[in-house]
Amino acid sequence: MNKTIRRASVFALLLVLALLVRATWVQFYEGRALADDKDNRRTAIATYAAPLGNIVVAGKAVTGSAPTSGGDLRYKRTYTDGELYAAVTGYASQSYAPTQLEGIYQSLLNGTDTRLKTVTDTVTGKRADPGDVVTTVEPDVQKAAYEALGDKKGAAVAIDPATGRILAVVSTPSYDPSALTDANTAGAAWKKLTADPDKPLTNRALRQPLAPGSTFKLVVAAAALEEGLYSSVDERTDSEDPYTLPGTRTVLRNENASAPCEDATIRVALQYSCNNVFAHLAVQLGQDKLRAMAEKFGFNDDSLDVPVRAYPSVYPTGMDASSTALTGIGQFDVTATPLQMAMVSAVIANDGELVSPHMVSQVTDGGGDVLKDYDDASSTRVISSDTAEQLRSAMETVVEKGTGTNARIDGVTVGGKTGTAQNGENNSKAPYAWFTSYGSADGKSVAVSVVVEQSDAARSEVSGNGLAAPVARAMMKAALN
């Protein structure tokens, strides 16, 4: 064999070996990734070859499966009261990746979760019967929030402080997940929803942090009491009114110019939402101590799963004294989700302890046997029992005769805190209206947080008490009924 033929043969052999190595790599190492690729048609065909498992609210499935009119996708997802529960369920689509609980528990709901396989399934290679996801959501509380928000752009969350069970997760405007389930029609619906400037696909309750405004003053008050800056919510503070931000000539004034905010106690400062008191407290505490307290409540946590991953609420770093002062009133770069502010109220209502919030109670197999129970949630102490008791007393004053009177409920002990957060450069856009609260009666309690981003109300009428407190009131009444 001459040299040219020998070299050509070796080269051809190397090419064959390279092809064999590549084929082996694809089959054994990349096969799973290719099988799971969202653009793999075979994955969609397998997923929708049979009915999916269900997401359950109060013993009733709010999802279902229906036969299609033909084609290789035999079933499609259906939803009962889809717009009401969209922020909980998300959607399962023949065309798009699933979201919210549909996405978190995709393998359980389509029967590919290894926990579902029986010995027979393993031997035959048959896909297991799908499992179900049992939520903690209470229909009456969910509906009360949805109806009270109405056509407003906003969100609301309700939590049982003692158990961490999330009773409601609502985001408005909502959407009907059923519009996205069928591959034949989902494209037009997707285009419309993603082009909507109100962003109905965004879960505002869990995944859109905004400036919390004066609701953050509860965190500042907790830090002041825990650090011993003041021993009681009824001890007078050293707070000039108006307050000049440190190192600047900028004067921070109070919304109510006639409010008794000069040297006001923490109780009175919460009652009238005195900016001067909490800005000064933030400076006295310093950003490090205030951040530490915020993080105990859950801020700056980028791994908060309920089990949907919530966007982190943020208390910033690297500030000067004037910026630190502004964080004391929930402005500058402080952001929070409604979930986070509901957690703040839940800690105060639960004697200072935070029970891990969760909106799934159990996951079960096709026969109803429990695969995992989430209701035995862990808890951590955030503030002392004494601090929690004092803050409850002050929050009740806010509702009884302060800025949160629209949250009062006959026969129910209600504590709350309003917030009106600036929005846009130089507050050029309509402010956000916040309300965070708790209600207790007959041994039961609920913590609620509401934000209204936009409504038809005139700018002068936008306030936590005017827009958000009535929503919270409706939710608390439903939860404690």
Side-chain angles (χ1 to χ4, degrees):
M1 181 182 296
N2 63 39
K3 185 182 293 185
T4 301
I5 295 175
R6 186 167 59 250
R7 287 177 176 175
S9 300
V10 171
F11 181 68
L13 179 61
L14 290 174
L15 290 177
V16 171
L17 289 173
L19 287 172
L20 290 172
V21 169
R22 178 58 180 164
T24 302
W25 178 268
V26 170
Q27 181 176 357
F28 292 100
Y29 292 94
E30 294 183 358
R32 173 48 54 193
L34 292 170
D36 292 339
D37 192 293
K38 63 182 178 61
D39 295 322
N40 187 341
R41 179 72 173 177
R42 291 184 179 181
T43 301
I45 292 171
T47 296
Y48 294 101
L52 300 175
N54 287 310
I55 297 172
V56 179
V57 173
K60 295 182 179 180
V62 296
T63 58
S65 297
T68 59
S69 56
D72 50 11
L73 301 172
R74 295 181 58 194
Y75 289 86
K76 65 179 180 180
R77 193 51 137 174
T78 62
Y79 295 89
T80 302
D81 295 324
E83 290 191 10
L84 175 62
Y85 293 109
V88 176
T89 63
Y91 57 79
S93 170
Q94 294 175 346
S95 300
Y96 304 104
T99 62
Q100 308 299 323
L101 294 186
E102 290 276 28
I104 297 294
Y105 294 104
Q106 181 181 14
S107 61
L108 178 88
L109 293 167
N110 67 24
T112 59
D113 190 315
T114 55
R115 294 174 296 177
L116 300 170
K117 280 190 175 294
T118 64
V119 174
T120 302
D121 295 331
T122 302
V123 172
T124 63
K126 173 180 172 292
R127 190 170 78 176
D129 292 335
D132 294 331
V133 178
V134 182
T135 72
T136 60
V137 173
E138 291 289 344
D140 289 346
V141 186
Q142 184 82 3
K143 187 175 181 180
Y146 185 73
E147 291 181 347
L149 280 168
D151 58 2
K152 305 177 188 72
K153 186 195 297 185
V157 173
I159 302 174
D160 181 335
T163 65
R165 291 167 64 95
I166 296 177
L167 308 180
V169 179
V170 173
S171 177
T172 56
S174 187
Y175 68 98
D176 186 357
S178 298
L180 297 170
T181 59
D182 194 319
N184 296 317
T185 58
W190 177 262
K191 185 176 181 180
K192 181 179 179 181
L193 287 167
T194 54
D196 190 331
D198 287 337
K199 300 180 179 179
L201 292 176
T202 298
N203 188 334
R204 291 178 160 84
L206 306 179
R207 299 176 64 81
Q208 182 161 287
L210 301 171
S214 293
T215 59
F216 189 74
K217 292 173 181 176
L218 293 172
V219 178
V220 182
L225 293 170
E226 288 288 285
E227 291 294 332
L229 203 58
Y230 294 97
S231 61
S232 164
V233 293
D234 294 311
E235 181 181 345
R236 293 185 69 83
T237 64
D238 177 19
S239 310
E240 65 177 19
D241 182 20
Y243 178 67
T244 302
L245 297 179
T248 76
R249 295 181 179 179
T250 303
V251 176
L252 183 65
R253 302 186 186 276
N254 295 304
E255 188 72 23
N256 182 355
S258 62
C261 291
E262 184 175 358
D263 299 334
T265 65
I266 291 175
R267 181 191 301 278
V268 170
L270 288 172
Q271 178 184 347
Y272 290 94
S273 203
C274 298
N275 291 332
N276 63 310
V277 173
F278 290 98
H280 188 214
L281 284 177
V283 173
Q284 288 179 293
L285 287 162
Q287 60 179 297
D288 292 340
K289 288 182 178 179
L290 193 46
R291 184 184 310 107
M293 177 55 65
E295 290 178 351
K296 285 185 176 182
F297 277 104
F299 284 78
N300 296 336
D301 183 354
D302 59 4
S303 60
L304 178 58
D305 298 326
V306 295
V308 176
R309 175 63 59 84
Y311 273 20
S313 300
V314 173
Y315 185 85
T317 60
M319 299 175 288
D320 59 21
S322 63
S323 297
T324 301
L326 291 176
T327 68
I329 61 172
Q331 295 288 173
F332 189 58
D333 289 340
V334 180
T335 61
T337 61
L339 170 64
Q340 176 61 73
M341 295 317 300
M343 290 164 61
V344 170
S345 286
V347 167
I348 295 169
N350 195 42
D351 219 27
E353 290 194 18
L354 175 63
V355 182
S356 299
H358 56 284
M359 64 176 174
V360 171
S361 173
Q362 298 175 337
V363 292
T364 65
D365 63 16
D369 293 330
V370 177
L371 298 176
K372 188 168 183 179
D373 192 314
Y374 296 90
D375 277 338
D376 187 20
S378 61
S379 65
T380 56
R381 178 156 294 282
V382 177
I383 54 178
S384 68
S385 177
D386 179 66
T387 295
E389 183 179 8
Q390 292 203 56
L391 289 176
R392 285 197 301 273
S393 175
M395 290 173 71
E396 288 161 19
T397 300
V398 171
V399 173
E400 290 167 5
K401 53 183 179 181
T403 59
T405 54
N406 283 340
R408 288 184 293 197
I409 304 171
D410 290 341
V412 176
T413 300
V414 179
K417 182 68 192 79
T418 55
T420 306
Q422 292 185 1
N423 176 24
E425 187 175 354
N426 297 321
N427 199 23
S428 58
K429 299 180 181 179
Y432 306 131
W434 282 88
F435 192 73
T436 187
S437 61
Y438 66 86
S440 59
D442 300 326
K444 294 174 63 177
S445 63
V446 62
V448 170
S449 181
V450 178
V451 63
V452 176
E453 292 181 45
Q454 188 176 336
S455 71
D456 294 332
R459 184 186 180 93
S460 60
E461 296 176 359
V462 174
S463 70
N465 191 45
L467 295 178
V471 180
R473 179 178 185 272
M475 295 171 70
M476 290 185 287
K477 284 186 69 175
L480 300 173
N481 186 4

